[in-house]
Amino acid sequence: MGNIISKINSITRLIVIALLAVMIVAVFLQVLFRFFLDMPLAWTEELARYLLIWITFLGSAYAMAIKAHIGTEYIQKHLSPFMNKVVISVAAVLSIFFFVVMVHQGYSLATRSMTQLSPTLLVPMGYVYMVIPISGVLLIMNALHVTWKDITGKE
C-alpha cells in the first residue's frame, strides 16, 4: 500500500511542478506583452490565478506526504511515547474529519459551478473548484499513511 501511495505522491509532485512551469510561462508572457509590446494578454492573469489555486491545493496534499506542514513538535518532545501517539491520533482524526468535509463540500461546489464560465478563458469554474475534493482525497490518504507510520513505525 505504501508503494501505491508513494507513486501517487510522485505523480502529484510532477503535476505541481508542471503547473508551476506553466504558470511561470504565463506570467512571463504577461510581463513581456504588457511592458515591452504594450499589448497585455487578458487570459494570462486568469490562467495564473487558477494555476495558483491548483498548485496550492495539490501542494498541500504533497506537503502532508513529506510532513512539511506545521506541527506540534515542541509539545511532542515533552510527552511520553504513549501520549505522543494519542496526540498524533487525535490530530489525525480531527484533520481527516476536516478533509472529509472538504471533499464533500468541494465536490458539491464544483458540480454546482459547472455551468458558470470563467470570464476570459471560458472554462467551467467547476474545473477550477474540482481541485478541492481531489486534494481532500489526497490529504486523507496521506494523513492516514503518515499517521500510521508515526504510530507504528512501519510503512
Side-chain angles (χ1 to χ4, degrees):
M1 188 61 152
N3 195 23
I4 294 170
I5 293 172
S6 179
K7 287 189 188 308
I8 291 171
N9 286 324
S10 294
I11 292 168
T12 302
R13 181 177 170 269
L14 291 174
I15 290 171
V16 169
I17 291 169
L19 293 175
L20 184 61
V22 172
M23 188 174 85
I24 289 169
V25 169
V27 171
F28 176 75
L29 285 173
Q30 176 66 354
V31 170
L32 180 73
F33 275 76
R34 179 180 299 264
F35 293 111
F36 294 111
L37 302 177
D38 201 28
M39 298 181 331
L41 300 172
W43 58 270
T44 54
E45 180 197 348
E46 191 173 294
L47 177 64
R49 183 180 321 125
Y50 298 152
L51 289 174
L52 182 61
I53 292 168
W54 272 76
I55 290 166
T56 301
F57 277 92
L58 292 178
S60 69
Y62 181 70
M64 177 70 75
I66 61 172
K67 295 176 75 171
H69 285 285
I70 297 172
T72 56
E73 293 175 2
Y74 179 77
I75 296 170
Q76 288 177 318
K77 289 178 185 176
H78 299 293
L79 295 175
S80 67
F82 174 75
M83 282 307 294
N84 194 15
K85 289 180 182 180
V86 170
V87 168
I88 290 170
S89 300
V90 169
V93 167
L94 293 174
S95 295
I96 290 169
F97 174 75
F98 175 76
F99 300 147
V100 168
V101 171
M102 192 171 120
V103 169
H104 181 265
Q105 294 297 319
Y107 183 76
S108 176
L109 174 67
T111 54
R112 283 192 324 259
S113 302
M114 281 299 183
T115 57
Q116 177 189 0
L117 298 178
S118 68
T120 307
L121 295 174
L122 300 177
V123 296
M125 290 302 294
Y127 292 140
V128 176
Y129 300 141
M130 194 55 74
V131 74
I132 299 170
I134 291 170
S135 65
V137 169
L138 293 172
L139 282 161
I140 292 168
M141 175 193 72
N142 285 326
L144 289 171
H145 187 249
V146 166
T147 303
W148 177 259
K149 285 193 318 188
D150 286 346
I151 291 175
T152 64
K154 299 177 189 172
E155 186 67 28

